[in-house]
Amino acid sequence: MKLEQLAEKKVVIFSHYATTGAPDELRDWLLKIKVKELVYVAFPFGSNKDSFIRVELYKRGELQGTHRSWFRWKMREPLNHVKDLLYAMYYAVHYARGAEVLAAGDNLLTMACVLTRWVTKIRCLVYFMLDYTPVRFRNRFLNETYYAVDRFSAYHADAVWPGASEVVTGRAKAGRLDERRVNWYAVPYGSHPQKECEQTESGRKRIVYLGDVVRNKGAELFVPMACELKKLVPDFRFTVIGGGKDLPALREEVRAAGLDDHFEICGFVDKIEDVVARLSGAGVAIAPYY
């Protein structure tokens, strides 16, 4: 489909969010091309400060209205996933009927769209497969259930967009996915080039992390790394951007280690411009994922 044809269609985006990511980038791009109708449904993830699901309705790039879910209870993670699955099925039926494209930000939201597709008649369903964590849950049953949902979603989506090819090939090598049954394209979601600016001395000594603050993504390494780095660079700064279930534990670890003056723990940052400003001003960025 050509760009001018897409601009005359209805597009829906489902996103689980803790940091600004690929679904948000897609939304902003669609708003710039003034797509005829855009529905953006945001499900809070992890320790995100929001407890409600947010719906944004746009026409020709202009916001027409927003809605927030009545259900605003914070639940344990497995129950929260069940709640989001049911809500996503409801929102798919309510908002996605006749959509040309629905792009879902994870496997659970994709599955909800697959299960309701006989009603919604979505023409093209896309699964954003953004990462691969071999052990998503420590509980083996939950972990296997997660990857069963992942396979189901990948096999039934019209297209799978991994952030990098290894996201798919890693699953295939581990026996979690039959790559031949997946119509996938690596879709890195780009960057925001900044005008070249002079690096300050304090900026050179700043480390930045952007992502979910959870232990299976390396959050438990931040304080030990900082303790070692302090011996070499006493005036370093460590900026952490993103929400996550282990964010409170990180704050406590930083306090206990006496590193409050060295850390800037931002939590979830809504505006991508603020994220980029922090990233571009740092000397080193880290991604200590397993």
Side-chain angles (χ1 to χ4, degrees), residues 209-212 216-218 286-290:
Y209 168 83
L210 169 63
D212 295 342
N216 64 7
K217 292 186 182 293
I286 62 170
Y289 310 139
Y290 296 122

Side-chain angles (χ1 to χ4, degrees), residues 105-122:
D106 63 30
N107 52 32
L108 187 74
L109 300 179
T110 303
M111 184 170 77
C113 297
V114 172
L115 295 176
T116 55
R117 200 169 185 180
W118 64 279
V119 177
T120 62
K121 308 299 182 184
I122 299 163

Side-chain angles (χ1 to χ4, degrees), residues 33-47:
I33 68 169
K34 299 187 182 299
V35 68
K36 181 179 179 181
E37 187 176 353
L38 173 64
V39 181
Y40 178 77
V41 185
F43 297 77
F45 182 73
S47 62

Side-chain angles (χ1 to χ4, degrees), residues 45-101:
F45 182 73
S47 62
N48 192 293
K49 64 180 183 298
D50 294 340
S51 57
F52 53 82
I53 301 167
R54 185 178 79 256
V55 182
E56 300 172 1
L57 306 172
Y58 299 89
K59 286 188 177 180
R60 297 298 184 189
E62 299 295 329
L63 181 64
Q64 301 298 307
T66 61
H67 303 285
R68 296 181 177 184
S69 64
W70 287 100
F71 195 106
R72 302 184 182 189
W73 297 346
K74 295 219 172 187
M75 308 168 71
R76 294 177 64 86
E77 192 169 24
L79 292 176
N80 199 57
H81 290 325
V82 173
K83 179 262 293 181
D84 283 353
L85 174 65
L86 296 176
Y87 253 107
M89 292 174 67
Y90 167 75
Y91 284 136
V93 172
H94 192 69
Y95 290 108
R97 291 192 185 208
E100 182 71 17
V101 179

